[in-house]
Amino acid sequence: MSKYWSPLVSQLSPYVPGEQPKLQRLVKLNTNENPFGPSPRVLDAIRAQLDEGLKLYPDPESQQLRETIAGYYGVRPGQVFVGNGSDEVLAHVFYGLFQQERPILFPDISYSFYPVYCGLYNIASEQLPLADDLSLRPEDYLRPNGGIIFPNPNAPTGRCLSLPEVEMVIRGNPDSVVVVDEAYVDFGGESAIALVDRYPNLLVTQTLSKSRSLAGLRVGFAIGHEDLIEGLNRVKNSFNSYPLDRLAQAGAIAAFEDTGWFEETRTQVIAERERVTESLQGLGFEVLPSAANFIFCQHRQQSGADLSARLREQGIIVRHFNKPRIDNYLRITIGTAGQNNELIEALAGIVAA
Ligand code: PMP
């Protein structure tokens, strides 16, 4: 606390990201990174930028990257907004589209950055409880609101709505913006990008941090009607004209171009997810069905906090949320086959003891 802080800053409850440990040789399964790494073509593209020199500012509009993303998804470049990670895209969404008269809606168990943005921008929210099986009920979102946001697949549950269910929420709310946060969609969800030409109130956000294994490069994007994108650009150009540096723009373009790497690595993540799920079920875990690169699970006898602490003693880090309704669960990122084997062996030992 400092007397120099504004009243707003004094009241903030900032987001606390999952730990990025400095220790080597940890099995790090706590922040949903993708263990397979980016395409080698991404690294080549970044190196080429280094050779060309970094003395000049990057393209403030990220034109070539937006064209690449638009071509990939079959939309127009004017329907694409890019930012420094989808977190920054989301921040601009909250600032530019969600400051409305009515509260915005999002699930009670969901991405924990949403309430933080509400605090930063003074946005009222209603957090709608997920069903007992931690699924999202689309019909709950047919009530007056100033905007709607939910991840699909949801985080940290991994559960996914079908496209018709997502469409029901979009169609039922023509007067507010519905944001579908598809950070994990490439691991098993159906993207709502297919609907953007039919619904001017739909905005889909995605990231290169997960399925393209570029969490360190910080690139996220949104796709929606040109009017929504223009609103986001007005915010961006009032905040930072150059959110994506030259390395990020070049690397992101190469990541979209290497479709082979993308398909191969995401297929491996999905196959490993199914294998880890079956193994943990065999150890007495209840595992929610996941369409993401992580699983959400609880053990029938042992507490989530305990299991997380015991894994940590063995150098394996997973995420445990000290939050009502989910404090018995562990969220475990899918790693390489070797990392997953270490996890399964460690859990087998802990559960047997
Ligand atoms: N949305 C969800 C649901 C997430 O889990 C994350 C990752 N923490 C993000 C958005 C943000 O990802 P990034 O800023 O790396 O694009």
Side-chain angles (χ1 to χ4, degrees):
M1 190 68 159
S2 156
K3 67 174 179 175
Y4 300 115
W5 291 357
S6 69
L8 174 70
V9 167
S10 308
Q11 283 169 30
L12 290 178
S13 328
Y15 179 72
V16 184
E19 182 187 356
Q20 296 295 342
K22 306 285 181 292
L23 288 172
Q24 302 295 310
R25 295 184 50 242
L26 283 176
V27 178
K28 186 176 178 308
L29 304 176
N30 68 330
T31 50
N32 297 343
E33 286 131 335
N34 176 337
F36 294 108
S39 153
R41 283 165 63 176
V42 169
L43 304 181
D44 289 344
I46 290 174
R47 273 186 214 109
Q49 283 299 312
L50 292 177
D51 293 341
E52 282 171 28
L54 291 173
K55 66 187 172 199
L56 299 178
Y57 282 108
D59 173 9
E61 312 300 334
S62 298
Q63 183 68 21
Q64 210 190 329
L65 172 58
R66 288 191 302 109
E67 281 170 9
T68 303
I69 295 173
Y72 187 90
Y73 290 105
V75 300
R76 295 178 294 282
Q79 292 173 292
V80 181
F81 178 82
V82 294
N84 188 263
S86 57
D87 278 341
E88 186 186 74
V89 176
L90 292 172
H92 293 339
V93 166
F94 276 71
Y95 188 81
L97 306 175
F98 280 174
Q99 299 202 61
Q100 307 292 349
E101 277 174 21
R102 292 203 160 105
I104 67 163
L105 309 179
F106 53 85
D108 64 338
I109 296 164
S110 179
Y111 186 28
S112 39
F113 223 135
Y114 302 157
V116 175
Y117 293 130
C118 286
L120 180 60
Y121 299 129
N122 256 315
I123 296 167
S125 66
E126 279 179 52
Q127 301 189 21
L128 307 184
L130 295 179
D132 287 340
D133 64 357
L134 300 185
S135 64
L136 188 153
R137 286 176 297 233
E139 60 274 19
D140 290 353
Y141 290 77
L142 306 176
R143 63 163 83 183
N145 65 77
I148 294 173
I149 183 165
F150 56 88
N152 197 47
N154 196 7
T157 66
R159 279 185 172 274
C160 200
L161 292 180
S162 69
L163 199 52
E165 289 173 310
V166 172
E167 187 170 8
M168 174 181 164
V169 177
I170 302 162
R171 198 187 323 111
N173 289 282
D175 294 327
S176 50
V177 175
V178 177
V179 178
V180 186
D181 176 349
E182 295 187 348
Y184 301 101
V185 75
D186 291 327
F187 300 108
E190 237 181 315
S191 177
I193 292 174
L195 304 176
V196 289
D197 278 331
R198 304 225 308 271
Y199 296 100
N201 62 325
L202 166 63
L203 190 77
V204 178
T205 61
Q206 289 196 12
T207 177
L208 278 72
S209 299
K210 316 292 179 181
S211 57
R212 290 183 172 78
S213 200
L214 283 170
L217 199 64
R218 311 306 300 129
V219 183
F221 59 96
I223 295 184
H225 192 279
E226 272 99 343
D227 289 349
L228 297 180
I229 301 305
E230 190 187 334
L232 294 177
N233 273 316
R234 290 169 73 95
V235 177
K236 170 227 162 208
N237 289 322
S238 307
F239 179 75
N240 176 6
S241 314
Y242 306 106
L244 267 72
D245 60 50
R246 286 175 174 269
L247 310 184
Q249 292 186 33
I253 291 167
F256 274 101
E257 286 172 350
D258 196 347
T259 50
W261 183 270
F262 167 74
E263 289 299 343
E264 223 173 274
T265 50
R266 78 161 166 167
T267 305
Q268 280 187 63
V269 170
I270 293 167
E272 279 297 300
R273 178 184 72 212
E274 300 315 306
R275 185 175 74 87
V276 174
T277 299
E278 279 177 30
S279 303
L280 295 201
Q281 283 167 338
L283 296 175
F285 281 87
E286 176 207 329
V287 186
L288 295 189
S290 171
N293 68 336
F294 56 84
I295 53 170
F296 204 51
C297 58
Q298 63 177 342
H299 194 261
R300 291 182 220 293
Q301 273 99 42
Q302 309 215 20
S303 89
D306 246 36
L307 287 171
S308 163
R310 306 282 295 278
L311 282 173
R312 200 186 171 84
E313 288 165 7
Q314 303 190 35
I316 300 173
I317 319 186
V318 300
R319 191 98 194 245
H320 172 254
F321 298 89
N322 229 334
K323 228 187 123 168
R325 295 187 79 190
I326 56 168
D327 57 357
N328 202 42
Y329 281 85
L330 296 178
R331 191 196 67 189
I332 306 177
T333 304
I334 301 302
T336 60
Q339 291 177 316
N340 299 334
N341 288 341
E342 284 193 53
L343 169 88
I344 294 162
E345 276 170 36
L347 282 174
I350 294 167
V351 165

